[in-house]
Amino acid sequence: MGKKDAGATKLPVDQYRKQIGKQDYKKTKSVLKATRLKAEAKKNSSGFRDAFLVVAAILFFVLCVYAFFYLNLSTEINLDLDMD
């Protein structure tokens, strides 16, 4: 008797999967194709974005180094001129 009652109840995960499966059948092929293409485009664009961020970080680092040396050298030159 206990086994019969236990088999009748389904896990919530199984019920959720069944609902998702029913929803996918309702979609047309064109909608599914558009969703797939959108996901692929998003996946491919992240590579471009990552490359852009790396280049931007390198340029920012070079600019900071340039500014550091420019400020240090310009103050040393001004001190040398004031000594005369």
Side-chain angles (χ1 to χ4, degrees), residues 16-74:
Y16 176 75
R17 289 178 181 160
K18 191 173 182 179
Q19 283 179 337
I20 296 298
K22 286 180 183 178
Q23 290 175 3
D24 278 344
Y25 286 127
K26 293 177 185 177
K27 295 179 182 175
T28 62
K29 286 187 178 184
S30 62
V31 172
L32 291 173
K33 186 176 180 180
T35 305
R36 182 174 45 86
L37 290 175
K38 185 178 177 183
E40 287 177 2
K42 185 177 178 183
K43 182 180 175 184
N44 292 338
S45 68
S46 66
F48 176 74
R49 183 181 59 191
D50 290 343
F52 176 74
L53 287 175
V54 168
V55 170
I58 291 171
L59 288 175
F60 181 73
F61 177 73
V62 169
L63 181 67
C64 288
V65 170
Y66 177 78
F68 175 76
F69 283 120
Y70 177 77
L71 292 174
N72 280 343
L73 291 176
S74 65

